[in-house]
Amino acid sequence: LLERIKATFVSLEEEVKKGKIGSYGISSNSFSFPSTHPHFVPYDSLLDLAKSASEKVHNTPKHSFKSIQMPGNLFEREGLTPISAGGNGCAEWAHKCGLEVIINRPLSAFTEQGTWRLAELDFPTEYSLARENLIERLSPIGLEQESSLSKEEIQEIKEACAWMKQLIQDLDGQIAAFSSILHYHHDFNTKIIPMILGKLEGMDEDTSNMVYSFFAQYELAVRSVTGQLARNALLEYSPENTNPLVSQADFSLYIPPVETLQNEKLQDFALKWLLNHPYVSTVLVGMNSKQHVDHVLNLVNQ
């Protein structure tokens, strides 16, 4: 692995020499793994590899390796925590070496206990109305009087409506069964969509629109409930590798003060902790609306 990294560094130094890039970095999930993990990359050898690559290309050890990137969030704190405080020390090492520390996945965490989306929404006020409107729509009345339909078509519509109504009622009772919005998206795309595609084909436009409206509200409901689940999990979270006996470590820098979490939204708490972390240079936040951008900028400027 280290030989492949060195060869890549050589290629990148050549691109620097050509003037095509100004610098380069390395991004790896392994930087956030425990040092005993089989996929952990020994980061402390990277500078030597960069110097060797630069000497080969430029005849000088002055390299253009300038940054590392890794996942980091309220649950995945291994790479952000110094060795003295029970972590793998990657961010501390990079900071001391003058490298930028770029954090990705600040609001999406993967742990042995599950997948967590570190963001909360208020429960959608229109969810109940969307659910009830759809259930009422799926209770057709007077089909027998529709002369344009055969008995077989009427029976088929009734069965499709009954099936769809039962699905909506089942989903309504399973909102808290999803551990995260990522979990829901996986089930929605692999299980729910394949089931309902055939049923949607025979629906009129108004009913189809109600189905789409329901699922839009349902996703917001899942985001709200799973955000609360993530909050509860965080309050109970205690990584096994944290060493509370190390008196020299300032734990307030490396372990989020979860006792203050009750005063703000989970996403704000998560981002502010990273923005204030002494070793973090940049936090990469995925945003899909101007409102999100404005909100994050407000956090940055606080």
Side-chain angles (χ1 to χ4, degrees), residues 34 36-40:
T36 55
H37 193 284
H39 294 151
F40 177 74

Side-chain angles (χ1 to χ4, degrees), residues 142-151 153-154:
L143 280 177
E144 286 76 4
Q145 284 72 47
E146 181 57 60
S147 59
S148 63
L149 298 174
S150 66
K151 289 183 179 180
E153 288 172 327
I154 290 174

Side-chain angles (χ1 to χ4, degrees), residues 44-273:
D44 52 0
S45 63
L46 293 177
L47 279 181
D48 288 338
L49 295 178
K51 291 176 181 178
S52 177
S54 183
E55 287 177 341
K56 183 174 182 179
V57 176
H58 308 289
N59 296 318
T60 173
K62 189 177 181 180
H63 57 83
S64 296
F65 173 47
K66 300 297 182 183
S67 62
I68 64 164
Q69 181 181 147
M70 63 180 171
N73 50 66
L74 295 174
F75 285 97
E76 297 174 277
R77 309 194 293 254
E78 181 74 35
L80 292 167
T81 307
I83 293 174
S84 62
N88 70 30
C90 183
E92 180 185 37
W93 165 83
H95 179 74
K96 289 181 177 179
C97 292
L99 301 176
E100 288 190 29
V101 176
I102 302 170
I103 297 299
N104 60 43
R105 283 205 290 103
L107 299 179
S108 296
F110 301 102
T111 71
E112 293 182 356
Q113 291 71 36
T115 302
W116 309 100
R117 179 63 179 171
L118 303 174
E120 294 174 299
L121 293 176
D122 293 332
F123 196 86
T125 57
E126 298 180 12
Y127 170 71
S128 295
L129 181 61
R131 179 196 61 208
E132 295 307 316
N133 284 344
L134 179 56
I135 289 176
E136 182 179 355
R137 184 74 177 185
L138 294 171
S139 304
I141 299 174
L143 280 177
E144 286 76 4
Q145 284 72 47
E146 181 57 60
S147 59
S148 63
L149 298 174
S150 66
K151 289 183 179 180
E152 291 77 13
E153 288 172 327
I154 290 174
Q155 185 59 31
E156 185 178 340
I157 292 174
K158 284 185 174 181
E159 290 177 357
C161 287
W163 181 89
M164 184 68 77
K165 186 194 295 188
Q166 187 60 54
L167 174 64
I168 300 307
Q169 292 170 336
D170 290 344
L171 287 172
D172 185 57
Q174 295 173 7
I175 292 179
F178 300 104
S179 63
S180 71
I181 192 63
L182 302 176
H183 180 189
Y184 167 68
H185 282 160
H186 176 269
D187 280 12
F188 182 75
N189 291 322
T190 61
K191 299 177 182 178
I192 300 173
I193 285 293
M195 285 195 299
I196 68 174
L197 278 179
K199 309 296 180 182
L200 286 172
E201 288 179 0
M203 282 187 184
D204 61 274
E205 185 176 351
D206 287 343
T207 305
S208 295
N209 288 338
M210 284 187 176
V211 171
Y212 293 133
S213 176
F214 167 78
F215 278 108
Q217 290 298 312
Y218 189 79
E219 177 170 329
L220 295 177
V222 171
R223 286 183 181 276
S224 175
V225 172
T226 55
Q228 185 61 52
L229 292 175
R231 172 186 286 267
N232 295 340
L234 178 64
L235 293 174
E236 299 173 359
Y237 186 65
S238 179
E240 293 181 356
N241 66 331
T242 299
N243 181 1
L245 302 179
V246 181
S247 59
Q248 298 89 341
D250 183 352
F251 279 84
S252 64
L253 295 177
Y254 316 117
I255 300 180
V258 292
E259 65 275 6
T260 66
L261 178 54
Q262 61 182 351
N263 300 322
E264 55 189 331
K265 290 288 189 181
L266 182 57
Q267 58 269 32
D268 293 355
F269 179 82
L271 292 175
K272 286 198 289 189
W273 178 67

